[in-house]
């Protein structure tokens, strides 16, 4: 086996939207912003990290949100996250079609689809 894990997932964002990314990924989701190397920081975007996950937001001049492709993010309190997202004005779309998991979808401020999953115990 050559693959040993996933280092990060990259999503795209429109130019000049780093503050909106920070408000969502750090403020709502509770991730920590990671400083980008200076050579990459000049390109814009932002990087975020939390336990077991790293998300990079890269700037795309002709940005279009990822409506189907998405990261599947494991969470420990799906209901609490759903409440937090709703309180921030973000729509939460429940989906019970993945055996062994409770899950929902939500979009970041740019329309990128995000999937949040919590394993069903027992």
């Amino acid at each position: 086996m050559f693959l040993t894990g996933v280092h990060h997932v990259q999503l795209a964002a429109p130019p000049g939207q780093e503050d909106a990314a920070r408000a969502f990924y750090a403020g709502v989701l509770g991730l920590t912003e990671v400083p980008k190397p200076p050579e990459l920081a000049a390109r814009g975007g932002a990087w975020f990290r939390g336990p077991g996950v790293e998300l990079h937001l890269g700037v795309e001049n002709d940005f279009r949100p990822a409506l189907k492709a998405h990261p599947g993010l494991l969470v420990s309190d799906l209901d609490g996250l759903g409440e937090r997202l709703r309180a921030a004005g973000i729509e939460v779309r429940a989906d019970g079609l993945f055996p062994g998991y409770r899950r929902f979808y939500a979009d970041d401020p740019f329309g990128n689809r995000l999937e949040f999953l919590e394993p069903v115990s027992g």
Side-chain angles (χ1 to χ4, degrees):
M1 178 61 89
F2 293 100
L3 299 177
T4 61
V6 174
H7 181 275
H8 68 272
V9 172
Q10 177 145 341
L11 297 170
Q17 294 299 309
E18 288 81 1
D19 287 343
R22 289 180 184 100
F24 179 76
Y25 286 99
V28 177
L29 295 185
L31 298 173
T32 301
E33 186 170 2
V34 179
K36 294 178 68 173
E39 311 77 47
L40 298 177
R43 298 179 183 175
W47 292 0
F48 301 92
R49 181 181 296 150
V53 64
E54 188 159 326
L55 296 172
H56 294 181
L57 270 299
V59 170
E60 244 179 55
N61 288 326
D62 61 345
F63 170 77
R64 288 176 307 195
L67 303 176
K68 185 72 173 172
H70 63 273
L73 304 168
L74 293 172
V75 300
S76 62
D77 181 3
L78 191 69
D79 295 329
L81 176 60
E83 290 173 16
R84 186 176 179 103
L85 288 165
R86 285 185 200 95
I90 298 163
E91 178 189 6
V92 172
R93 300 178 304 280
D95 181 306
L97 301 177
F98 197 147
Y101 292 87
R102 296 177 57 235
R103 72 177 179 168
F104 64 71
Y105 294 96
D107 297 335
D108 75 4
F110 320 114
N112 291 312
R113 181 180 183 190
L114 304 173
E115 179 181 3
F116 299 96
L117 304 103
E118 181 176 35
V120 174
S121 58

